[in-house]
């Protein structure tokens, strides 16, 4: 067997995106499942519209075997047929003999290829938008922390009027917000190819429905809705317009350019000893110069997004070369640039998030730089004050110019002093005002503080909230409660028939907010307060005097909320009866379901090490969850356990 190190693999897979969910989104397996799902949707819609060739038995067989993939047969068929779609068609037909004759009925290859690409693109766009929102949250936290940290502004890379570190950070954030909105616009306007036939005329479907144009239109609309799209192309050739791909490339390239601007700024400011990107405990900055702390993370961002910025050139070339109803010279390029474009963006955002989670301000150096510039900024104010006192503006300018140039010469040898610069009697009337002003550097930064807080409140916070990123999401943990027997006893639930009674759930889910001395639990089913103090919730829901039977021993699977949002996927099938009706009305919000992950609730409920999500979560028994102490100490001990999950 060939060792992985003996053959080339993309560095996006092996180095920069090892844990990215996009690897599954754009995987061959997910593509195959989507193709099959599209064939199922097509057959379902044709059956619903009365096409006699389609039977419920055939549709059921396709559904039952959607994920049953015979990979050796697929590869053998593709070698034989030299056509990937037909290879999968034949393979699926052999697995589903009753449905073999109706798979792909009336469709062309681009029905599955283009539509599956669009489903993957939609999934990937949602992931990237959320990643940008997380990074914006981190920048917002950094900006808020340093909204009044005074630093020198820089124009032409030369020192200029004072600004604050927070104001500079929201300038960076604004670039990401603009790119976010461009990508979000693409997401809101993306169109499904739909059911169009070989050259986009829908002639094959018109034949199947014996010339009934209304049914062909309904078929196109039905499949579009089944795929979860609200808009579709009314006109296509064999493929959908590649201009839509170009619009995607513009958004991703703008995101790449924004990341490069931010990273380049930080690299420059690190060279000025103003900022320092995270530097790990055992990290080596240079093999030759051990003392160096190179801005390697920001340099990596710049390197990664260089390719991202070039995407529009290829996308526009593909658009312009797409001849007549279709030519195949788009295929190889799209197979590469679309998944790699998203992976490049994901990789850069991952590094940028890490940078802002550990970016530090070199306060001593920053304060020294500010102190060097303050006397000269004070002279600018002195000129304004002198004119208020009736001094001719040109005379004031001349005196201040001579004073400033002389001070600049002295500064080459030793620091200059504001009082010393203003010793001339010419400044008698304004000296005290200027000295008082210079003692407060923040007064030279104009509206930096208010601009920063406003931008965070009106631009960052709504965007972050919209993408379901908690403003302080690092403090939140999702906790799944269950056990091996799927019989979890819990008190003070709305389903309890009497007070101080308990119910037995197969599983339960709560949200825990950790905070020093004030941890809280959010439980939608409790009769206690919402949210409820952690100690009270634990005492009342799991009373210490009540000894649970062995089969009721509680276990807790804990994971940070960001990890939960990235890895959890449910289509709510567990809430349905055998006849597919609801056991009880489902929540009003859409389920967090992703095709590439499938329905994986069971993996989170499993309380053993073999669960597929064990690598991103921690399972504790009651004693460990409470830290082996009284539940009076639960918030602190549980908080410690939650820190382990991070």
């Amino acid at each position: 067997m060939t060792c992985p190190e003996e053959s080339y693999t993309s560095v996006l897979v092996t180095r920069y995106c090892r844990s990215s969910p996009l690897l599954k989104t754009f995987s061959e397996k997910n593509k195959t499942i989507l193709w099959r799902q599209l064939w199922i949707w097509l057959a379902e819609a044709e059956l619903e519209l009365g096409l006699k060739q389609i039977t419920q038995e055939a549709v059921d067989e396709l559904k039952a075997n959607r994920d049953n993939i015979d990979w050796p047969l697929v590869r053998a068929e593709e070698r034989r047929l030299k056509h990937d779609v037909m290879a999968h068609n034949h393979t699926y037909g052999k697995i589903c003999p009753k449905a073999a004759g109706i798979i792909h009925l009336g469709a062309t290859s681009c029905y599955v290829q283009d539509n599956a690409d669009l489903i993957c693109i939609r999934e990937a766009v949602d992931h990237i938008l959320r990643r940008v929102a997380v990074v914006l949250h981190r920048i917002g936290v950094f900006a808020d922390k340093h909204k009044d940290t005074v630093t020198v502004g820089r124009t032409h890379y030369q020192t200029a009027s004072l600004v604050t570190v927070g104001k500079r950070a929201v300038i960076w954030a604004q670039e990401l917000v603009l790119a976010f909105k461009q990508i979000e616009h693409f997401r809101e306007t993306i169109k499904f190819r739909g059911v169009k036939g070989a050259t986009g005329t829908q002639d094959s479907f018109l034949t199947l429905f014996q010339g009934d144009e209304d049914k062909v239109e309904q078929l196109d609309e039905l499949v579009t809705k089944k795929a979860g799209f609200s808009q579709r192309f009314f006109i296509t050739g064999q493929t959908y317009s590649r201009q839509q791909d170009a619009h995607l490339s513009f958004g991703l390239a703008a995101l790449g350019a924004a990341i490069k601007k931010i990273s380049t700024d930080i690299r420059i400011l690190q060279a000025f000893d103003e900022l320092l990107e995270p530097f790990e405990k055992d990290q080596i900055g240079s093999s030759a110069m051990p003392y160096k702390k190179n801005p390697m993370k920001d340099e990596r961002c710049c390197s990664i997004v260089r390719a991202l910025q070039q995407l529009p050139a290829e996308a526009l070339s593909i658009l312009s070369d797409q001849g007549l109803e279709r030519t195949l010279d788009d295929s190889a390029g799209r197979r590469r640039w679309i998944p790699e474009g998203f992976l490049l963006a994901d990789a850069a955002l991952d590094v940028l998030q890490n940078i802002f989670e550990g970016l530090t301000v070199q306060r001593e150096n920053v304060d020294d730089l500010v102190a060097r510039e303050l006397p000269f900024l004070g002279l600018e104010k002195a000129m304004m004050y002198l004119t208020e006192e009736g001094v001719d503006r040109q005379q004031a300018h001349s005196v201040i110019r001579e004073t400033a140039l002389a001070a600049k010469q002295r500064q080459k040898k030793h620091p200059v002093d504001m009082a010393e610069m203003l010793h001339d009697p010419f400044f008698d009337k304004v000296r005290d005002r200027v000295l008082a002003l210079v003692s407060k550097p923040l007064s030279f930064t104009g509206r930096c503080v208010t601009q920063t807080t406003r931008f965070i409140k009106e631009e960052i916070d709504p965007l972050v909230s919209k993408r379901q990123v908690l403003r302080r999401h690092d403090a939140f943990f999702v906790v799944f409660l269950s056990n091996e027997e799927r019989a979890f006893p819990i008190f003070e639930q709305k389903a309890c028939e009497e007070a101080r009674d308990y119910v037995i759930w197969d599983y339960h889910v709560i949200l825990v907010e950790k905070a020093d001395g004030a941890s809280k639990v959010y439980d939608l089913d409790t009769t206690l307060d919402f949210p409820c103090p952690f100690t009270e919730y634990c005492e009342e829901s799991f009373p210490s005097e009540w000894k649970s039977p062995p089969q009721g021993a509680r276990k807790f699977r804990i994971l940070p909320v960001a990890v939960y949002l990235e890895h959890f996927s449910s289509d709510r099938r567990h809430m349905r009866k055998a006849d597919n009706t609801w056991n009880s009305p489902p929540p009003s919000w859409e389920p967090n379901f992703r095709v590439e992950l499938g329905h994986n609730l069971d993996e989170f409920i499993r309380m053993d090490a073999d669960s597929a999500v064990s690598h991103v979560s921690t399972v504790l028994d009651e004693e460990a969850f409470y830290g082996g102490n009284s539940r009076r100490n639960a918030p602190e001990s549980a908080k410690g356990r939650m820190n382990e999950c991070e």
Side-chain angles (χ1 to χ4, degrees), residues 354-367:
N354 178 262
I355 289 168
F356 276 98
E357 287 173 343
L359 188 64
T360 55
V361 178
Q362 304 287 74
R363 289 298 297 264
E364 187 174 333
N365 295 330
V366 168
D367 290 346

Side-chain angles (χ1 to χ4, degrees), residues 32-305:
T32 299
I33 290 173
L34 286 174
W35 285 8
R36 291 182 173 190
Q37 185 62 61
L38 283 157
W39 281 325
I40 291 169
W41 285 330
L42 178 61
E44 280 182 335
E46 290 172 336
L47 177 63
E48 290 170 25
L49 292 170
L51 198 62
K52 62 183 180 181
Q53 296 96 315
I54 312 296
T55 66
Q56 187 63 53
E57 185 180 27
V59 173
D60 290 343
E61 185 180 48
L62 290 174
K63 289 182 177 180
N65 290 281
R66 190 196 70 168
D67 298 349
N68 180 13
I69 306 171
D70 186 338
W71 290 110
L73 182 57
V74 169
R75 297 185 186 100
E77 287 293 293
E78 187 165 359
R79 284 194 299 270
R80 182 175 70 88
L81 301 171
K82 304 297 187 288
H83 195 292
D84 57 349
V85 173
M86 289 309 297
H88 281 278
N89 189 326
H90 285 210
T91 302
Y92 201 17
K94 289 179 180 179
I95 296 170
C96 304
K98 295 176 183 177
I102 57 96
I103 297 172
H104 200 69
L105 188 60
T108 187
S109 297
C110 283
Y111 166 69
V112 289
Q113 289 173 321
D114 274 18
N115 286 326
D117 284 350
L118 289 167
I119 293 170
C120 290
I121 287 170
R122 179 181 61 184
E123 188 79 34
V125 165
D126 285 341
H127 175 73
I128 292 300
L129 287 175
R130 190 178 178 284
R131 290 305 309 273
V132 176
V134 171
V135 173
L136 280 168
H137 164 254
R138 301 300 198 273
I139 298 177
V141 170
F142 177 83
D144 186 58
K145 179 180 179 181
H146 294 289
K147 60 180 178 289
D148 54 2
T149 301
V150 181
T151 188
V152 293
R154 295 188 184 274
T155 55
H156 311 280
Y157 296 119
Q158 307 302 308
T159 55
S161 300
L162 300 184
V163 296
T164 68
V165 174
K167 166 64 187 299
R168 182 175 278 152
V170 293
I171 289 177
W172 295 333
Q174 181 168 249
E175 300 300 338
L176 287 180
V177 167
L178 292 171
F180 177 99
K181 290 182 177 179
Q182 187 171 353
I183 298 171
E184 186 178 51
H185 177 72
F186 172 85
R187 174 65 174 86
E188 292 170 348
T189 57
I190 187 173
K191 291 183 177 180
F192 195 58
R193 177 194 179 273
V195 183
K196 300 296 192 296
T199 55
T201 66
Q202 298 178 304
D203 179 65
S204 57
F205 297 104
L206 202 60
T207 300
L208 286 172
F209 286 102
Q210 299 178 345
D212 190 334
E213 288 198 34
D214 287 341
K215 285 198 173 180
V216 175
E217 181 68 14
Q218 289 176 47
L219 178 70
D220 200 359
E221 185 177 358
L222 263 175
V223 173
T224 299
K225 287 183 177 179
K226 287 177 183 290
F229 284 78
S230 59
Q231 303 172 81
R232 59 192 160 101
F233 285 99
F234 295 135
I235 295 294
T236 73
Q238 194 170 96
T239 66
Y240 69 82
S241 170
R242 297 313 186 212
Q243 190 168 157
Q244 180 164 265
D245 293 344
H247 292 165
L248 169 65
S249 75
F250 300 154
L252 292 176
L255 176 62
I259 293 172
K260 189 171 188 296
K261 184 266 190 295
I262 296 167
S263 298
T264 301
D265 278 1
I266 295 174
R267 290 168 64 187
I268 292 168
L269 292 171
Q270 185 155 328
F272 286 138
D273 285 330
E274 293 185 44
L275 295 179
L276 182 65
E277 71 169 35
F279 197 83
E280 311 299 336
K281 178 177 177 292
D282 296 321
Q283 183 177 334
I284 295 175
S286 167
S287 61
M289 295 162 280
Y291 56 86
K292 292 190 72 179
K293 288 186 176 182
N294 299 329
M296 296 167 66
K297 297 180 191 297
D298 284 288
E299 289 173 330
R300 189 180 309 145
C301 280
C302 292
S303 180
I304 289 170
V305 301

Side-chain angles (χ1 to χ4, degrees), residues 278-560:
F279 197 83
E280 311 299 336
K281 178 177 177 292
D282 296 321
Q283 183 177 334
I284 295 175
S286 167
S287 61
M289 295 162 280
Y291 56 86
K292 292 190 72 179
K293 288 186 176 182
N294 299 329
M296 296 167 66
K297 297 180 191 297
D298 284 288
E299 289 173 330
R300 189 180 309 145
C301 280
C302 292
S303 180
I304 289 170
V305 301
R306 190 175 290 129
L308 200 57
Q309 291 175 254
Q310 306 308 313
L311 293 183
E314 181 157 12
L316 290 170
S317 179
I318 289 173
L319 164 63
S320 61
D321 289 338
Q322 184 72 167
L324 302 175
E325 277 67 49
R326 112 74 30 118
T327 50
L328 199 59
D329 49 3
D330 65 334
S331 178
R334 291 181 73 255
R335 287 175 189 261
R336 179 182 50 78
W337 87 253
I338 291 176
E340 288 191 359
F342 282 111
L343 287 168
L344 287 165
D346 199 23
L349 288 166
D350 189 54
V351 180
L352 193 62
Q353 177 182 334
N354 178 262
I355 289 168
F356 276 98
E357 287 173 343
L359 188 64
T360 55
V361 178
Q362 304 287 74
R363 289 298 297 264
E364 187 174 333
N365 295 330
V366 168
D367 290 346
D368 285 346
L369 287 166
V370 170
R372 285 175 59 85
E373 296 303 315
L374 266 178
F376 303 99
L377 295 171
L379 286 176
E380 289 182 24
K381 297 291 186 181
M383 186 168 68
M384 299 300 104
Y385 294 159
L386 285 166
T387 60
E388 290 178 13
E389 296 293 337
V391 177
D392 180 84
R393 193 262 183 198
Q394 302 308 324
Q395 181 188 7
H397 183 277
S398 177
V399 173
I400 287 173
R401 178 177 175 275
E402 292 178 8
T403 301
L405 290 176
K408 280 288 185 184
Q409 285 298 115
R410 295 197 304 276
Q411 196 177 58
K412 293 178 181 179
K413 298 181 179 180
H414 58 78
V416 297
D417 178 73
M418 187 84 253
E420 179 186 353
M421 291 171 67
L422 299 176
H423 76 281
D424 192 297
F426 182 76
F427 296 105
D428 284 351
K429 292 182 178 180
V430 300
R431 185 179 298 109
D432 291 343
R433 288 176 68 188
V434 174
L435 289 175
L437 188 67
V438 169
S439 68
K440 301 174 183 177
L442 189 62
S443 62
F444 287 86
T445 63
R447 297 184 62 221
C448 279
V449 173
T450 54
Q451 287 178 345
T452 301
T453 55
R454 180 183 182 182
F455 190 86
I456 293 171
K457 180 181 179 181
E458 297 188 15
E459 294 280 0
I460 295 179
D461 283 354
L463 184 152
V464 166
S465 176
K466 184 177 181 180
R467 285 287 148 183
Q468 297 181 341
V469 177
L470 297 172
R471 280 286 296 141
R472 295 178 296 117
H473 89 279
D474 287 340
F476 289 85
F477 292 82
V478 176
V479 182
F480 285 82
L481 299 75
S482 191
N483 52 33
E484 287 82 353
E485 302 297 326
R486 301 286 175 90
F488 188 97
I490 181 170
F491 285 74
E492 299 298 337
Q493 294 283 286
K494 294 174 183 177
C496 295
E497 295 183 1
E498 300 177 10
R500 301 308 301 160
D501 196 2
Y502 67 90
V503 293
I504 295 181
W505 298 124
D506 54 345
Y507 76 97
H508 195 55
V509 185
I510 60 176
L511 183 70
V512 177
E513 177 185 6
K514 71 171 187 179
D516 293 334
S519 297
K520 299 174 183 176
V521 174
Y522 298 78
D523 182 355
L524 292 170
D525 295 302
T526 187
T527 58
L528 304 171
D529 291 339
F530 184 91
C532 184
F534 191 100
T535 303
E536 179 185 345
Y537 181 87
C538 294
E539 279 287 358
E540 299 297 328
S541 301
F542 322 125
S544 53
E545 67 272 12
W546 188 78
K547 303 297 183 181
S548 60
Q551 68 270 26
R554 307 177 186 92
K555 289 192 176 180
F556 307 80
R557 182 179 293 280
I558 307 170
L559 64 162

